[in-house]
Amino acid sequence: MPYDQYLRNLIIAAGNSREKRYVEILTKILLNGAENLRVHAIWALGEIAHDDCLKILQVQFDGESSQLVKNEILYTLNKLT
């Protein structure tokens, strides 16, 4: 299994766990990961849905250059609010 697929699976598992302890690593992936992993990190942060996650996504949206990532942030924020 390629490394990106492995990371994607870990991101999905973190989101499914809904545990706040994964917010920090998901945020790092959101800021520095490959675009496809960033989209999955947004989904996972939305599943955790802690107040910190909402703030992180709002801040990231303002500075985001990828339209795909922006669309996923918008979708997730709309789902949470």
Side-chain angles (χ1 to χ4, degrees):
M1 172 185 305
Y3 186 66
D4 275 3
Q5 287 179 337
Y6 176 72
L7 286 177
R8 183 204 61 208
N9 291 346
L10 291 174
I11 292 167
I12 291 169
N16 285 335
S17 77
R18 293 181 168 80
E19 291 194 30
K20 187 181 175 199
R21 66 183 169 156
Y22 296 117
V23 170
E24 183 179 348
I25 189 66
L26 291 169
T27 301
K28 287 181 182 179
I29 293 167
L30 174 60
L31 296 175
N32 302 310
E35 189 177 58
N36 66 320
L37 295 177
R38 295 173 69 217
V39 169
H40 282 85
I42 294 163
W43 171 85
L45 288 166
E47 291 300 302
I48 295 170
H50 189 272
D51 288 341
D52 292 344
C53 299
L54 187 62
K55 291 174 191 168
I56 290 163
L57 294 175
Q58 288 169 333
V59 168
Q60 184 63 26
F61 182 81
D62 292 334
E64 184 55 54
S65 60
S66 165
Q67 192 59 49
L68 179 65
V69 173
K70 282 183 101 152
N71 290 344
E72 186 66 23
I73 291 171
L74 236 120
Y75 176 80
T76 302
L77 289 174
N78 286 334
K79 186 175 77 169
L80 294 175
T81 54

